[in-house]
Amino acid sequence: MTPPQPMDFPNWQFLIRRYLCSISRENMGIKIPFEIDGRSFIPVSSEELDQIVFEDFPYIGLENGILILTGGETDSYWNFLKSNITTLYQPDAIKKALIEAQERAEYSWHYTDLARAWLKFFNDQEKAREMLGEAEVRATDSGDYERLAKDWLKLFNDREKAKEMLEEAETKAEDSGDYTDLATDWFKLFNDHEKAREMLAEAEERATDFFHYWFLAKAWFEFFNEREKAKEMLEEAEAKAENSGDYRYLAEDWLELFNDREKAREMLKEAEEKAKSPWEYIDLAEAWLKFFNDREKAKEILEEK
């Protein structure tokens, strides 16, 4: 799993925004809405910038250096902005941001992020390779090496290096989830069925909880269409199920993978017995509607609970 990002390491997107703010500080006090592609944008001051959560309110910088706050963006529109980022952001601000981010980088995944950024904005392959090298030096667990494998393949199509990283990831794998992730990588990145099966067998040997078996069921079904093996893993997951959410997941899989409506209903009833919080009952009501279009059952759950 990716470690949480420390608060003292702002990512390069954050730093780009901050540098744009400093570049255009004198212009930032103007409260005149802009309109771009039919959307409204409002300039913000550097002081206001510090008080806003960046993940909730995306920013873009115009070519004249004005940093603007956009309200109520949809994911698709934000993706459009990112795809045109080289014309929206000033190159000097981007470079300064990446350099500072590198100075403050600590974990392996910081450097893989930077490798992608150097390649995206400046097509600097030498710098991107340098960042991946730094990421490898700092890699400590299976997830770090898996990330490196994906980046070497995606950024440089270096299949040998990617395989080397997956082999390193295997030496660091500890629990069932690590091996299931490796099976996914060998299957999806290299179409290596033999290696994927080997990793799934290792994952099953180490499986101890609900999600270990749940992910195994989905992998056996998706990769190899091994229906009996997938059912076996779902049954193992059921034996480990502890809460309403676990049974709700099982209901969905029995229905979607095997169209077993009877088993799905059984799992939803188990989920109802385990439910405790209002949110779990709401989730169950939605499940009855989604899976069976059973409005009466959904209404019953909401009214009684």
Side-chain angles (χ1 to χ4, degrees), residues 10-17 85 97-98 101 113-114 117 121:
N11 59 32
W12 50 263
Q13 293 100 326
F14 178 101
L15 289 166
I16 290 169
R17 295 163 186 155
I85 204 166
L98 296 183
D113 277 355
L114 284 164
F121 293 120

Side-chain angles (χ1 to χ4, degrees), residues 15-236:
L15 289 166
I16 290 169
R17 295 163 186 155
R18 199 183 76 183
Y19 278 112
L20 280 168
C21 180
S22 64
I23 289 170
S24 56
R25 188 181 300 273
E26 294 181 0
N27 299 325
M28 298 298 287
I30 305 172
K31 297 295 182 182
I32 302 174
F34 293 87
E35 197 165 278
I36 303 174
D37 196 27
R39 306 299 294 269
S40 295
F41 303 94
I42 304 173
V44 295
S45 68
S46 57
E47 290 75 17
E48 290 170 319
L49 191 64
D50 292 335
Q51 300 173 17
I52 299 172
V53 180
F54 292 99
E55 288 75 15
D56 293 339
F57 300 96
Y59 295 79
I60 62 172
L62 299 179
E63 292 179 358
N64 63 3
I66 294 179
L67 188 67
I68 52 183
L69 165 64
T70 67
E73 291 304 328
T74 64
D75 289 340
S76 61
Y77 191 74
W78 182 231
N79 287 335
F80 164 77
L81 294 179
K82 287 193 290 187
S83 70
N84 293 276
I85 204 166
T86 52
T87 59
L88 293 169
Y89 284 139
Q90 294 185 5
D92 287 346
I94 298 173
K95 186 165 290 188
K96 288 179 181 178
L98 296 183
I99 290 171
E100 182 173 338
Q102 182 180 339
E103 291 171 352
R104 302 170 70 174
E106 181 179 356
Y107 297 114
S108 176
W109 64 274
H110 292 162
Y111 287 94
T112 51
D113 277 355
L114 284 164
R116 290 190 290 271
W118 279 109
L119 204 59
K120 175 179 177 64
F121 293 120
F122 301 104
N123 195 30
D124 192 332
Q125 297 195 21
E126 182 179 353
K127 192 68 175 178
R129 287 177 181 276
E130 178 190 336
M131 293 298 96
L132 290 183
E134 294 289 346
E136 184 177 347
V137 169
R138 291 162 176 78
T140 59
D141 60 26
S142 180
D144 287 340
Y145 285 106
E146 282 184 72
R147 195 176 302 107
L148 279 161
K150 292 173 183 175
D151 281 339
W152 278 112
L153 193 61
K154 181 177 180 179
L155 301 183
F156 298 105
N157 196 32
D158 192 331
R159 296 175 64 85
E160 291 307 311
K161 187 65 175 180
K163 287 182 178 180
E164 178 188 332
M165 293 297 96
L166 284 187
E167 289 164 357
E168 286 291 337
E170 186 177 344
T171 68
K172 300 292 185 181
E174 296 180 353
D175 65 15
S176 176
D178 291 339
Y179 283 98
T180 302
D181 288 343
L182 283 167
T184 302
D185 292 334
W186 282 111
F187 185 88
K188 291 188 174 181
L189 301 182
F190 297 103
N191 197 32
D192 191 330
H193 290 203
E194 181 179 353
K195 192 67 176 178
R197 286 179 178 274
E198 178 188 335
M199 294 297 97
L200 289 181
E202 293 285 352
E204 184 177 348
E205 185 176 329
R206 291 164 175 77
T208 59
D209 65 25
F210 172 82
F211 281 108
H212 288 163
Y213 288 108
W214 185 70
F215 280 117
L216 277 164
K218 296 174 84 68
W220 280 112
F221 188 93
E222 178 185 348
F223 301 160
F224 303 111
N225 196 30
E226 295 227 4
R227 298 171 64 85
E228 292 307 313
K229 188 66 175 178
K231 287 181 179 180
E232 179 188 336
M233 293 298 97
L234 284 183
E235 289 165 357
E236 291 286 354

